[in-house]
Amino acid sequence: MDRCPACGAQALEGGVCTECGVHAEGATASFEAIAESPGTLYEAEVGATEVPVLIVRKGVEVGERFYLEQQRTTIGRDPASDIFLNDVTVSREHAVLHVEAGVVRIEDVGSLNGTYVNDSIVSDDTLVNGDTVQIGRFQMVFLSGGDVA
């Protein structure tokens, strides 16, 4: 059962919280950034990959890998997103990844909660191997692919 984004109650009926009356259908909840934790993922733990990849290390789908094989990859709560993150802390259209000549750039596209790279909020940033990307409650590690130093 979903929680109310306003009061946290687990009493939603028809998209309306029975505790506080907030219409939770389609709402985006706020969150606090997850601080970096020990035990980061290293390339050896996940195996080599030829293309850049994001690996979920905190969130609903821990361990899920998103291979960045397109020039443009959308991220959001909209099921039509290339990377679908199903949580109310993620905006429907949250961010876009751009891959060009081996360089991966992440761009926030006006999300409510922001896009974080290494615990800093960004509007547009170039990712480097080992960067931590946080979108809503999802924390992912970026691996650049190919031969990484």
Side-chain angles (χ1 to χ4, degrees):
M1 179 178 277
D2 291 330
R3 290 187 176 270
C4 172
C7 72
Q10 287 189 341
L12 295 179
E13 287 183 16
V16 177
C17 179
T18 58
E19 295 292 320
C20 70
V22 165
H23 291 274
E25 189 75 20
T28 300
S30 297
F31 74 99
E32 290 185 28
I34 300 170
E36 185 70 24
S37 63
T40 58
L41 295 173
Y42 296 97
E43 295 83 10
E45 294 177 33
V46 296
T49 177
E50 292 298 315
V51 297
V53 63
L54 281 174
I55 303 169
V56 178
R57 69 181 205 191
K58 288 188 181 177
V60 179
E61 302 293 332
V62 171
E64 186 166 359
R65 299 172 188 198
F66 300 106
Y67 295 94
L68 309 179
E69 299 175 308
Q70 306 174 93
Q71 285 185 322
R72 183 177 190 275
T73 302
T74 59
I75 303 172
R77 187 168 38 103
D78 184 339
S81 297
D82 298 315
I83 297 177
F84 172 53
L85 300 177
N86 191 15
D87 189 88
V88 296
T89 61
V90 178
S91 294
R92 290 184 191 284
E93 296 176 2
H94 200 105
V96 175
L97 292 160
H98 302 276
V99 180
E100 190 172 322
V103 175
V104 179
R105 193 170 49 84
I106 191 164
E107 173 189 8
D108 186 277
V109 290
S111 69
L112 181 63
N113 287 321
T115 299
Y116 293 79
V117 175
N118 299 326
D119 298 324
S120 296
I121 194 164
V122 298
S123 58
D124 194 315
D125 198 17
T126 300
L127 298 177
V128 296
N129 194 58
D131 277 350
T132 300
V133 175
Q134 185 169 331
I135 294 178
R137 292 186 182 122
F138 291 84
Q139 188 180 77
M140 299 167 276
V141 65
F142 171 76
L143 300 179
S144 59
D147 291 329
V148 291

